[in-house]
Amino acid sequence: MTDKTFTFQYHVLDTIDELPEEDRLLLDEAYLSAEQSYSPYSGYHVGAALRLKDGKVIHGSNQENVAYPDGLCAERVAAFYASANFPDTSFDTIAIIAFSDDFEVDTPVAPCGSCRQALSEYEYKFDEPIRVIMKGKSGNIIVVDSVRSLLPFTFNESKLKKK
Ligand code: THU
């Protein structure tokens, strides 16, 4: 047996002032997205702003449904819109933020497992890391340099290579 360890670096920022201006603006855009969230069931409003390599910003917010599993997270709404409309443009950075009147959102919102898998698809597609900026309504900010850090042992295209 061989024991191995997976580690990754991430950045914790006390305030948004520690971010470069373009990332601060992206968080502002994510907040605007969260305000468009359709989340009558959870009351948890999530917004994503995805900056593409050409600087275009794509908005996504969680879209819920009375048939609960039919809803979709903010991150995938943004990623799928971007890929559907700008299929040749790689992703640079996604900023995610959440707020709620019902819950305290004082820690960064981290993408769920399905969103990590979906985002990682586009990292493999373009072979370029996607930065992830996570923030709650209040509290500190976490930045990771690649979705791959959040999803070790990804199921990726190499698994479906034809012989
Ligand atoms: N949600 C997101 O949109 N993104 C996340 O990263 C976590 C969860 C949504 C799904 C659902 O509409 C609500 O938040 C509560 O889980």
Side-chain angles (χ1 to χ4, degrees), residues 86-154:
F86 309 104
D88 301 323
T89 313
S90 60
F91 299 3
D92 183 80
T93 300
I94 186 164
I96 310 157
I97 201 163
F99 67 84
S100 171
D101 292 335
D102 305 321
F103 316 104
E104 202 67 63
V105 189
D106 53 6
T107 54
V109 52
C112 75
S114 296
C115 287
R116 293 174 197 207
Q117 178 67 34
L119 288 168
S120 107
E121 178 75 20
Y122 301 108
E123 278 196 345
Y124 281 95
K125 177 182 174 190
F126 293 107
D127 197 20
E128 285 178 37
I130 304 168
R131 291 171 65 242
V132 184
I133 303 173
M134 300 168 250
K135 190 182 177 314
K137 175 86 186 358
S138 59
N140 59 18
I141 298 149
I142 291 179
V143 181
V144 298
D145 299 322
S146 163
V147 173
R148 240 169 263 198
S149 306
L150 299 176
L151 195 66
F153 302 106
T154 38

Short mmCIF file of all heavy atoms in Angstrom, two decimals, residues 86-154:
data_model
loop_
_atom_site.label_atom_id
_atom_site.label_comp_id
_atom_site.label_asym_id
_atom_site.label_seq_id
_atom_site.Cartn_x
_atom_site.Cartn_y
_atom_site.Cartn_z
N PHE A 86 -21.11 31.05 -26.28
CA PHE A 86 -19.73 31.41 -26.66
C PHE A 86 -18.85 30.17 -26.55
O PHE A 86 -17.93 30.10 -25.73
CB PHE A 86 -19.22 32.54 -25.74
CG PHE A 86 -20.17 33.70 -25.67
CD1 PHE A 86 -20.96 33.90 -24.54
CD2 PHE A 86 -20.30 34.58 -26.74
CE1 PHE A 86 -21.86 34.96 -24.47
CE2 PHE A 86 -21.19 35.64 -26.68
CZ PHE A 86 -21.97 35.83 -25.55
N PRO A 87 -19.14 29.16 -27.38
CA PRO A 87 -18.49 27.86 -27.19
C PRO A 87 -16.98 27.86 -27.39
O PRO A 87 -16.30 26.94 -26.92
CB PRO A 87 -19.17 26.97 -28.24
CG PRO A 87 -19.75 27.90 -29.24
CD PRO A 87 -20.08 29.16 -28.50
N ASP A 88 -16.44 28.90 -28.05
CA ASP A 88 -15.01 28.90 -28.33
C ASP A 88 -14.21 29.77 -27.36
O ASP A 88 -13.01 29.96 -27.53
CB ASP A 88 -14.75 29.38 -29.77
CG ASP A 88 -15.46 28.48 -30.76
OD1 ASP A 88 -15.50 27.25 -30.52
OD2 ASP A 88 -16.00 29.00 -31.76
N THR A 89 -14.88 30.33 -26.37
CA THR A 89 -14.19 31.25 -25.45
C THR A 89 -14.01 30.57 -24.09
O THR A 89 -14.98 30.13 -23.48
CB THR A 89 -15.02 32.55 -25.27
OG1 THR A 89 -15.41 33.00 -26.57
CG2 THR A 89 -14.20 33.63 -24.58
N SER A 90 -12.77 30.50 -23.65
CA SER A 90 -12.50 29.80 -22.38
C SER A 90 -12.92 30.66 -21.18
O SER A 90 -13.14 31.87 -21.30
CB SER A 90 -11.03 29.42 -22.28
OG SER A 90 -10.24 30.57 -22.34
N PHE A 91 -13.02 30.01 -20.05
CA PHE A 91 -13.44 30.67 -18.82
C PHE A 91 -12.21 31.14 -18.05
O PHE A 91 -11.25 30.37 -17.91
CB PHE A 91 -14.20 29.69 -17.90
CG PHE A 91 -15.48 29.11 -18.47
CD1 PHE A 91 -15.91 29.38 -19.76
CD2 PHE A 91 -16.25 28.26 -17.68
CE1 PHE A 91 -17.09 28.83 -20.26
CE2 PHE A 91 -17.44 27.71 -18.17
CZ PHE A 91 -17.85 27.99 -19.46
N ASP A 92 -12.27 32.32 -17.53
CA ASP A 92 -11.14 32.82 -16.74
C ASP A 92 -11.41 32.68 -15.24
O ASP A 92 -10.67 32.00 -14.53
CB ASP A 92 -10.88 34.29 -17.10
CG ASP A 92 -9.68 34.84 -16.38
OD1 ASP A 92 -8.56 34.58 -16.84
OD2 ASP A 92 -9.86 35.51 -15.33
N THR A 93 -12.48 33.31 -14.77
CA THR A 93 -12.76 33.36 -13.32
C THR A 93 -14.26 33.33 -13.10
O THR A 93 -15.01 33.99 -13.82
CB THR A 93 -12.20 34.67 -12.72
OG1 THR A 93 -10.79 34.73 -12.93
CG2 THR A 93 -12.46 34.76 -11.22
N ILE A 94 -14.68 32.59 -12.07
CA ILE A 94 -16.09 32.65 -11.67
C ILE A 94 -16.15 33.16 -10.22
O ILE A 94 -15.39 32.70 -9.36
CB ILE A 94 -16.79 31.28 -11.83
CG1 ILE A 94 -18.30 31.41 -11.54
CG2 ILE A 94 -16.17 30.18 -10.98
CD1 ILE A 94 -19.13 30.24 -12.04
N ALA A 95 -16.99 34.15 -10.00
CA ALA A 95 -17.21 34.68 -8.65
C ALA A 95 -18.60 34.23 -8.20
O ALA A 95 -19.56 34.28 -8.98
CB ALA A 95 -17.13 36.20 -8.66
N ILE A 96 -18.68 33.75 -6.96
CA ILE A 96 -19.94 33.22 -6.44
C ILE A 96 -20.23 33.90 -5.10
O ILE A 96 -19.34 34.04 -4.25
CB ILE A 96 -19.82 31.69 -6.19
CG1 ILE A 96 -19.24 30.98 -7.42
CG2 ILE A 96 -21.16 31.09 -5.82
CD1 ILE A 96 -18.60 29.64 -7.09
N ILE A 97 -21.49 34.29 -4.93
CA ILE A 97 -21.87 34.98 -3.70
C ILE A 97 -23.28 34.54 -3.34
O ILE A 97 -24.04 34.09 -4.21
CB ILE A 97 -21.78 36.51 -3.93
CG1 ILE A 97 -21.65 37.26 -2.61
CG2 ILE A 97 -22.95 37.03 -4.72
CD1 ILE A 97 -21.15 38.69 -2.79
N ALA A 98 -23.63 34.63 -2.07
CA ALA A 98 -24.98 34.25 -1.67
C ALA A 98 -25.47 35.16 -0.54
O ALA A 98 -24.67 35.69 0.23
CB ALA A 98 -25.02 32.80 -1.20
N PHE A 99 -26.78 35.34 -0.49
CA PHE A 99 -27.38 36.02 0.66
C PHE A 99 -28.76 35.45 0.91
O PHE A 99 -29.34 34.77 0.04
CB PHE A 99 -27.41 37.55 0.48
CG PHE A 99 -28.33 38.02 -0.62
CD1 PHE A 99 -29.69 38.21 -0.38
CD2 PHE A 99 -27.84 38.29 -1.88
CE1 PHE A 99 -30.54 38.64 -1.39
CE2 PHE A 99 -28.68 38.73 -2.90
CZ PHE A 99 -30.04 38.90 -2.65
N SER A 100 -29.27 35.69 2.09
CA SER A 100 -30.57 35.16 2.45
C SER A 100 -31.17 35.99 3.57
O SER A 100 -30.43 36.51 4.42
CB SER A 100 -30.40 33.71 2.93
OG SER A 100 -31.61 33.24 3.47
N ASP A 101 -32.49 36.13 3.55
CA ASP A 101 -33.15 36.79 4.68
C ASP A 101 -33.37 35.80 5.81
O ASP A 101 -33.62 36.18 6.95
CB ASP A 101 -34.52 37.34 4.24
CG ASP A 101 -34.35 38.48 3.26
OD1 ASP A 101 -33.28 39.14 3.29
OD2 ASP A 101 -35.27 38.70 2.44
N ASP A 102 -33.30 34.51 5.49
CA ASP A 102 -33.64 33.48 6.46
C ASP A 102 -32.43 32.87 7.17
O ASP A 102 -32.55 32.30 8.24
CB ASP A 102 -34.40 32.33 5.77
CG ASP A 102 -35.62 32.87 5.03
OD1 ASP A 102 -36.28 33.77 5.57
OD2 ASP A 102 -35.89 32.40 3.90
N PHE A 103 -31.28 32.93 6.50
CA PHE A 103 -30.08 32.31 7.07
C PHE A 103 -28.98 33.36 7.18
O PHE A 103 -28.95 34.31 6.41
CB PHE A 103 -29.51 31.20 6.18
CG PHE A 103 -30.54 30.27 5.62
CD1 PHE A 103 -30.94 30.37 4.29
CD2 PHE A 103 -31.09 29.29 6.42
CE1 PHE A 103 -31.88 29.50 3.77
CE2 PHE A 103 -32.03 28.42 5.91
CZ PHE A 103 -32.43 28.52 4.58
N GLU A 104 -28.07 33.07 8.10
CA GLU A 104 -26.85 33.85 8.20
C GLU A 104 -25.91 33.33 7.12
O GLU A 104 -25.64 32.13 7.09
CB GLU A 104 -26.24 33.61 9.59
CG GLU A 104 -25.30 34.69 10.06
CD GLU A 104 -26.01 36.01 10.30
OE1 GLU A 104 -26.88 36.06 11.19
OE2 GLU A 104 -25.69 36.97 9.59
N VAL A 105 -25.47 34.17 6.21
CA VAL A 105 -24.52 33.69 5.19
C VAL A 105 -23.21 34.45 5.42
O VAL A 105 -22.90 35.41 4.73
CB VAL A 105 -25.06 33.91 3.76
CG1 VAL A 105 -24.15 33.20 2.75
CG2 VAL A 105 -26.49 33.40 3.62
N ASP A 106 -22.49 33.99 6.43
CA ASP A 106 -21.28 34.72 6.83
C ASP A 106 -20.00 33.95 6.53
O ASP A 106 -18.93 34.29 7.02
CB ASP A 106 -21.34 35.11 8.32
CG ASP A 106 -21.62 33.91 9.21
OD1 ASP A 106 -21.65 32.78 8.69
OD2 ASP A 106 -21.81 34.11 10.42
N THR A 107 -20.14 32.89 5.71
CA THR A 107 -18.95 32.18 5.22
C THR A 107 -19.07 32.06 3.70
O THR A 107 -20.19 32.11 3.16
CB THR A 107 -18.83 30.77 5.85
OG1 THR A 107 -20.04 30.07 5.60
CG2 THR A 107 -18.56 30.83 7.34
N PRO A 108 -17.96 31.89 3.02
CA PRO A 108 -18.02 31.84 1.55
C PRO A 108 -18.87 30.68 1.05
O PRO A 108 -18.86 29.60 1.64
CB PRO A 108 -16.56 31.64 1.15
CG PRO A 108 -15.77 32.11 2.31
CD PRO A 108 -16.58 31.82 3.53
N VAL A 109 -19.62 30.92 -0.02
CA VAL A 109 -20.43 29.85 -0.61
C VAL A 109 -19.54 29.07 -1.57
O VAL A 109 -18.91 29.63 -2.45
CB VAL A 109 -21.71 30.41 -1.30
CG1 VAL A 109 -21.40 31.50 -2.27
CG2 VAL A 109 -22.48 29.31 -2.00
N ALA A 110 -19.49 27.76 -1.33
CA ALA A 110 -18.62 26.90 -2.15
C ALA A 110 -19.48 26.11 -3.12
O ALA A 110 -20.56 25.65 -2.76
CB ALA A 110 -17.84 25.95 -1.24
N PRO A 111 -19.03 25.97 -4.38
CA PRO A 111 -19.85 25.23 -5.35
C PRO A 111 -20.08 23.79 -4.93
O PRO A 111 -19.20 23.15 -4.35
CB PRO A 111 -19.02 25.30 -6.64
CG PRO A 111 -17.70 25.85 -6.30
CD PRO A 111 -17.77 26.47 -4.94
N CYS A 112 -21.28 23.30 -5.21
CA CYS A 112 -21.61 21.91 -4.86
C CYS A 112 -20.82 20.96 -5.77
O CYS A 112 -20.19 21.37 -6.75
CB CYS A 112 -23.11 21.67 -5.00
SG CYS A 112 -23.66 21.53 -6.72
N GLY A 113 -20.88 19.70 -5.46
CA GLY A 113 -20.11 18.70 -6.22
C GLY A 113 -20.47 18.69 -7.70
O GLY A 113 -19.59 18.59 -8.56
N SER A 114 -21.76 18.80 -8.01
CA SER A 114 -22.16 18.78 -9.42
C SER A 114 -21.60 20.00 -10.16
O SER A 114 -21.19 19.89 -11.32
CB SER A 114 -23.68 18.77 -9.54
OG SER A 114 -24.20 17.59 -8.99
N CYS A 115 -21.59 21.15 -9.52
CA CYS A 115 -21.05 22.35 -10.17
C CYS A 115 -19.53 22.22 -10.35
O CYS A 115 -18.98 22.66 -11.36
CB CYS A 115 -21.38 23.60 -9.36
SG CYS A 115 -23.13 24.04 -9.50
N ARG A 116 -18.86 21.61 -9.38
CA ARG A 116 -17.41 21.39 -9.54
C ARG A 116 -17.14 20.52 -10.75
O ARG A 116 -16.26 20.78 -11.57
CB ARG A 116 -16.82 20.74 -8.28
CG ARG A 116 -16.88 21.67 -7.09
CD ARG A 116 -16.45 21.00 -5.80
NE ARG A 116 -16.91 21.82 -4.69
CZ ARG A 116 -16.35 21.90 -3.51
NH1 ARG A 116 -15.30 21.17 -3.23
NH2 ARG A 116 -16.84 22.68 -2.58
N GLN A 117 -17.93 19.46 -10.89
CA GLN A 117 -17.77 18.56 -12.03
C GLN A 117 -18.05 19.31 -13.34
O GLN A 117 -17.30 19.20 -14.32
CB GLN A 117 -18.72 17.36 -11.89
CG GLN A 117 -18.67 16.38 -13.04
CD GLN A 117 -17.34 15.63 -13.13
OE1 GLN A 117 -16.71 15.35 -12.12
NE2 GLN A 117 -16.92 15.32 -14.34
N ALA A 118 -19.13 20.09 -13.36
CA ALA A 118 -19.50 20.81 -14.58
C ALA A 118 -18.42 21.84 -14.94
O ALA A 118 -18.01 21.95 -16.11
CB ALA A 118 -20.85 21.51 -14.40
N LEU A 119 -17.92 22.57 -13.95
CA LEU A 119 -16.89 23.58 -14.24
C LEU A 119 -15.60 22.91 -14.69
O LEU A 119 -14.90 23.39 -15.59
CB LEU A 119 -16.64 24.45 -13.01
CG LEU A 119 -17.76 25.44 -12.67
CD1 LEU A 119 -17.56 26.04 -11.28
CD2 LEU A 119 -17.85 26.56 -13.71
N SER A 120 -15.29 21.76 -14.08
CA SER A 120 -14.03 21.10 -14.42
C SER A 120 -14.05 20.65 -15.88
O SER A 120 -13.02 20.61 -16.55
CB SER A 120 -13.74 19.96 -13.45
OG SER A 120 -13.92 18.71 -14.03
N GLU A 121 -15.22 20.35 -16.40
CA GLU A 121 -15.33 19.99 -17.83
C GLU A 121 -14.72 21.08 -18.72
O GLU A 121 -14.01 20.78 -19.68
CB GLU A 121 -16.82 19.81 -18.17
CG GLU A 121 -17.11 19.47 -19.62
CD GLU A 121 -16.78 18.02 -19.97
OE1 GLU A 121 -16.69 17.18 -19.05
OE2 GLU A 121 -16.59 17.74 -21.16
N TYR A 122 -14.99 22.34 -18.36
CA TYR A 122 -14.51 23.43 -19.22
C TYR A 122 -13.02 23.70 -18.99
O TYR A 122 -12.35 24.20 -19.89
CB TYR A 122 -15.39 24.68 -19.00
CG TYR A 122 -16.83 24.37 -19.32
CD1 TYR A 122 -17.79 24.26 -18.31
CD2 TYR A 122 -17.22 24.10 -20.63
CE1 TYR A 122 -19.10 23.91 -18.60
CE2 TYR A 122 -18.53 23.75 -20.93
CZ TYR A 122 -19.46 23.65 -19.91
OH TYR A 122 -20.75 23.29 -20.20
N GLU A 123 -12.51 23.35 -17.82
CA GLU A 123 -11.06 23.43 -17.64
C GLU A 123 -10.37 22.44 -18.56
O GLU A 123 -9.38 22.76 -19.21
CB GLU A 123 -10.67 23.10 -16.19
CG GLU A 123 -10.80 24.24 -15.23
CD GLU A 123 -10.06 24.01 -13.93
OE1 GLU A 123 -9.66 22.85 -13.62
OE2 GLU A 123 -9.88 24.98 -13.19
N TYR A 124 -10.91 21.21 -18.62
CA TYR A 124 -10.31 20.20 -19.49
C TYR A 124 -10.51 20.57 -20.96
O TYR A 124 -9.61 20.41 -21.78
CB TYR A 124 -10.89 18.81 -19.20
CG TYR A 124 -10.25 18.19 -17.97
CD1 TYR A 124 -10.85 18.30 -16.71
CD2 TYR A 124 -9.03 17.52 -18.07
CE1 TYR A 124 -10.25 17.74 -15.59
CE2 TYR A 124 -8.42 16.97 -16.96
CZ TYR A 124 -9.04 17.08 -15.71
OH TYR A 124 -8.44 16.54 -14.60
N LYS A 125 -11.70 21.07 -21.28
CA LYS A 125 -11.98 21.41 -22.68
C LYS A 125 -10.96 22.41 -23.22
O LYS A 125 -10.45 22.26 -24.32
CB LYS A 125 -13.41 21.99 -22.79
CG LYS A 125 -13.75 22.44 -24.20
CD LYS A 125 -15.14 23.07 -24.31
CE LYS A 125 -15.35 23.63 -25.71
NZ LYS A 125 -16.54 24.45 -25.82
N PHE A 126 -10.70 23.45 -22.43
CA PHE A 126 -9.81 24.51 -22.91
C PHE A 126 -8.38 24.36 -22.38
O PHE A 126 -7.50 25.14 -22.75
CB PHE A 126 -10.35 25.88 -22.48
CG PHE A 126 -11.66 26.25 -23.15
CD1 PHE A 126 -12.85 26.23 -22.44
CD2 PHE A 126 -11.69 26.59 -24.49
CE1 PHE A 126 -14.06 26.57 -23.04
CE2 PHE A 126 -12.88 26.93 -25.11
CZ PHE A 126 -14.07 26.92 -24.39
N ASP A 127 -8.19 23.40 -21.50
CA ASP A 127 -6.89 23.19 -20.85
C ASP A 127 -6.37 24.48 -20.22
O ASP A 127 -5.21 24.86 -20.39
CB ASP A 127 -5.88 22.63 -21.87
CG ASP A 127 -4.67 22.02 -21.17
OD1 ASP A 127 -4.78 21.68 -19.97
OD2 ASP A 127 -3.61 21.91 -21.81
N GLU A 128 -7.26 25.15 -19.54
CA GLU A 128 -6.88 26.37 -18.82
C GLU A 128 -7.59 26.39 -17.47
O GLU A 128 -8.78 26.07 -17.39
CB GLU A 128 -7.33 27.62 -19.61
CG GLU A 128 -6.46 27.90 -20.81
CD GLU A 128 -6.96 29.10 -21.59
OE1 GLU A 128 -7.43 30.08 -20.96
OE2 GLU A 128 -6.90 29.05 -22.82
N PRO A 129 -6.86 26.74 -16.40
CA PRO A 129 -7.50 26.75 -15.08
C PRO A 129 -8.58 27.82 -14.97
O PRO A 129 -8.46 28.90 -15.58
CB PRO A 129 -6.34 27.05 -14.12
CG PRO A 129 -5.31 27.72 -14.96
CD PRO A 129 -5.48 27.21 -16.35
N ILE A 130 -9.60 27.54 -14.21
CA ILE A 130 -10.64 28.53 -13.91
C ILE A 130 -10.48 28.92 -12.45
O ILE A 130 -10.55 28.06 -11.56
CB ILE A 130 -12.05 27.94 -14.15
CG1 ILE A 130 -12.19 27.41 -15.57
CG2 ILE A 130 -13.12 28.99 -13.84
CD1 ILE A 130 -13.45 26.55 -15.79
N ARG A 131 -10.25 30.19 -12.20
CA ARG A 131 -10.18 30.67 -10.80
C ARG A 131 -11.59 30.72 -10.23
O ARG A 131 -12.56 31.00 -10.95
CB ARG A 131 -9.56 32.07 -10.72
CG ARG A 131 -8.08 32.10 -11.06
CD ARG A 131 -7.57 33.51 -11.18
NE ARG A 131 -7.61 34.28 -9.95
CZ ARG A 131 -8.32 35.39 -9.78
NH1 ARG A 131 -9.08 35.87 -10.73
NH2 ARG A 131 -8.27 36.03 -8.62
N VAL A 132 -11.70 30.48 -8.93
CA VAL A 132 -13.00 30.53 -8.27
C VAL A 132 -12.90 31.47 -7.07
O VAL A 132 -12.04 31.30 -6.20
CB VAL A 132 -13.45 29.12 -7.78
CG1 VAL A 132 -14.86 29.18 -7.19
CG2 VAL A 132 -13.39 28.10 -8.92
N ILE A 133 -13.77 32.47 -7.06
CA ILE A 133 -13.82 33.42 -5.94
C ILE A 133 -15.13 33.17 -5.21
O ILE A 133 -16.20 33.18 -5.82
CB ILE A 133 -13.80 34.88 -6.45
CG1 ILE A 133 -12.57 35.13 -7.32
CG2 ILE A 133 -13.85 35.87 -5.29
CD1 ILE A 133 -12.57 36.50 -8.01
N MET A 134 -15.04 32.93 -3.91
CA MET A 134 -16.24 32.57 -3.13
C MET A 134 -16.43 33.56 -1.99
O MET A 134 -15.48 33.88 -1.28
CB MET A 134 -16.07 31.17 -2.53
CG MET A 134 -15.87 30.10 -3.56
SD MET A 134 -15.32 28.55 -2.78
CE MET A 134 -13.65 28.48 -3.34
N LYS A 135 -17.67 33.98 -1.82
CA LYS A 135 -17.96 34.94 -0.74
C LYS A 135 -19.37 34.73 -0.23
O LYS A 135 -20.26 34.29 -0.98
CB LYS A 135 -17.81 36.37 -1.30
CG LYS A 135 -17.84 37.43 -0.22
CD LYS A 135 -17.73 38.82 -0.81
CE LYS A 135 -17.85 39.89 0.26
NZ LYS A 135 -18.94 39.70 1.21
N GLY A 136 -19.58 34.99 1.04
CA GLY A 136 -20.92 35.01 1.60
C GLY A 136 -21.43 36.44 1.60
O GLY A 136 -20.83 37.34 1.02
N LYS A 137 -22.54 36.66 2.30
CA LYS A 137 -23.04 38.04 2.41
C LYS A 137 -22.04 38.87 3.21
O LYS A 137 -21.78 40.03 2.92
CB LYS A 137 -24.41 38.01 3.10
CG LYS A 137 -25.00 39.37 3.40
CD LYS A 137 -25.75 39.85 2.18
CE LYS A 137 -26.32 41.20 2.15
NZ LYS A 137 -26.43 42.22 2.92
N SER A 138 -21.48 38.22 4.24
CA SER A 138 -20.43 38.87 5.03
C SER A 138 -19.30 37.85 5.22
O SER A 138 -19.38 36.74 4.71
CB SER A 138 -20.99 39.31 6.38
OG SER A 138 -21.49 38.18 7.07
N GLY A 139 -18.30 38.24 5.96
CA GLY A 139 -17.20 37.31 6.24
C GLY A 139 -16.11 37.39 5.18
O GLY A 139 -16.13 38.25 4.30
N ASN A 140 -15.15 36.47 5.31
CA ASN A 140 -13.99 36.56 4.43
C ASN A 140 -14.27 35.96 3.05
O ASN A 140 -15.37 35.50 2.75
CB ASN A 140 -12.74 35.98 5.10
CG ASN A 140 -12.93 34.54 5.48
OD1 ASN A 140 -13.84 33.89 4.97
ND2 ASN A 140 -12.10 34.05 6.37
N ILE A 141 -13.23 36.02 2.24
CA ILE A 141 -13.35 35.60 0.83
C ILE A 141 -12.30 34.52 0.60
O ILE A 141 -11.19 34.61 1.12
CB ILE A 141 -13.05 36.80 -0.07
CG1 ILE A 141 -14.08 37.90 0.18
CG2 ILE A 141 -13.04 36.42 -1.55
CD1 ILE A 141 -13.55 39.27 -0.03
N ILE A 142 -12.69 33.52 -0.14
CA ILE A 142 -11.73 32.46 -0.50
C ILE A 142 -11.55 32.46 -2.01
O ILE A 142 -12.52 32.56 -2.77
CB ILE A 142 -12.21 31.09 0.01
CG1 ILE A 142 -12.15 31.05 1.54
CG2 ILE A 142 -11.38 29.96 -0.58
CD1 ILE A 142 -12.61 29.76 2.16
N VAL A 143 -10.30 32.34 -2.43
CA VAL A 143 -9.99 32.25 -3.85
C VAL A 143 -9.18 30.98 -4.09
O VAL A 143 -8.21 30.71 -3.37
CB VAL A 143 -9.16 33.47 -4.32
CG1 VAL A 143 -8.87 33.38 -5.81
CG2 VAL A 143 -9.88 34.78 -4.00
N VAL A 144 -9.61 30.18 -5.07
CA VAL A 144 -8.78 29.05 -5.50
C VAL A 144 -8.38 29.28 -6.95
O VAL A 144 -9.11 29.90 -7.72
CB VAL A 144 -9.48 27.67 -5.34
CG1 VAL A 144 -9.81 27.37 -3.90
CG2 VAL A 144 -10.71 27.55 -6.19
N ASP A 145 -7.21 28.77 -7.29
CA ASP A 145 -6.66 29.07 -8.62
C ASP A 145 -7.14 28.12 -9.70
O ASP A 145 -6.90 28.37 -10.88
CB ASP A 145 -5.12 29.04 -8.55
CG ASP A 145 -4.60 30.08 -7.58
OD1 ASP A 145 -5.17 31.18 -7.53
OD2 ASP A 145 -3.63 29.78 -6.84
N SER A 146 -7.81 27.06 -9.29
CA SER A 146 -8.26 26.09 -10.29
C SER A 146 -9.37 25.23 -9.70
O SER A 146 -9.33 24.87 -8.53
CB SER A 146 -7.08 25.20 -10.66
OG SER A 146 -7.53 24.03 -11.29
N VAL A 147 -10.36 24.91 -10.53
CA VAL A 147 -11.45 24.03 -10.08
C VAL A 147 -10.90 22.64 -9.74
O VAL A 147 -11.40 21.95 -8.86
CB VAL A 147 -12.53 23.92 -11.17
CG1 VAL A 147 -13.59 22.89 -10.82
CG2 VAL A 147 -13.19 25.28 -11.40
N ARG A 148 -9.82 22.27 -10.43
CA ARG A 148 -9.22 20.96 -10.19
C ARG A 148 -8.83 20.77 -8.72
O ARG A 148 -8.90 19.67 -8.19
CB ARG A 148 -7.98 20.80 -11.05
CG ARG A 148 -8.09 19.63 -12.01
CD ARG A 148 -6.98 19.67 -13.03
NE ARG A 148 -7.45 20.29 -14.25
CZ ARG A 148 -6.84 20.17 -15.42
NH1 ARG A 148 -5.76 19.45 -15.53
NH2 ARG A 148 -7.33 20.75 -16.49
N SER A 149 -8.45 21.88 -8.08
CA SER A 149 -8.09 21.80 -6.66
C SER A 149 -9.28 21.36 -5.81
O SER A 149 -9.12 20.74 -4.76
CB SER A 149 -7.66 23.16 -6.12
OG SER A 149 -6.65 23.71 -6.87
N LEU A 150 -10.48 21.71 -6.27
CA LEU A 150 -11.68 21.42 -5.48
C LEU A 150 -12.24 20.04 -5.79
O LEU A 150 -13.22 19.62 -5.19
CB LEU A 150 -12.77 22.47 -5.78
CG LEU A 150 -12.44 23.91 -5.45
CD1 LEU A 150 -13.59 24.83 -5.90
CD2 LEU A 150 -12.21 24.08 -3.96
N LEU A 151 -11.64 19.37 -6.77
CA LEU A 151 -12.22 18.10 -7.21
C LEU A 151 -11.12 17.13 -7.62
O LEU A 151 -10.89 16.88 -8.80
CB LEU A 151 -13.17 18.35 -8.39
CG LEU A 151 -14.12 17.23 -8.77
CD1 LEU A 151 -15.14 16.98 -7.66
CD2 LEU A 151 -14.86 17.58 -10.06
N PRO A 152 -10.43 16.58 -6.62
CA PRO A 152 -9.42 15.58 -6.98
C PRO A 152 -10.08 14.35 -7.58
O PRO A 152 -11.26 14.10 -7.34
CB PRO A 152 -8.75 15.25 -5.64
CG PRO A 152 -9.61 15.81 -4.58
CD PRO A 152 -10.54 16.82 -5.19
N PHE A 153 -9.34 13.61 -8.35
CA PHE A 153 -9.86 12.40 -9.02
C PHE A 153 -11.10 12.71 -9.87
O PHE A 153 -12.12 12.04 -9.77
CB PHE A 153 -10.19 11.29 -8.02
CG PHE A 153 -9.03 10.87 -7.19
CD1 PHE A 153 -8.93 11.23 -5.86
CD2 PHE A 153 -8.00 10.12 -7.75
CE1 PHE A 153 -7.84 10.86 -5.09
CE2 PHE A 153 -6.91 9.74 -6.98
CZ PHE A 153 -6.82 10.11 -5.65
N THR A 154 -11.01 13.75 -10.66
CA THR A 154 -12.16 14.09 -11.51
C THR A 154 -12.44 12.98 -12.51
O THR A 154 -11.52 12.32 -12.99
CB THR A 154 -11.90 15.34 -12.39
OG1 THR A 154 -10.57 15.30 -12.82
CG2 THR A 154 -12.26 16.60 -11.70
#
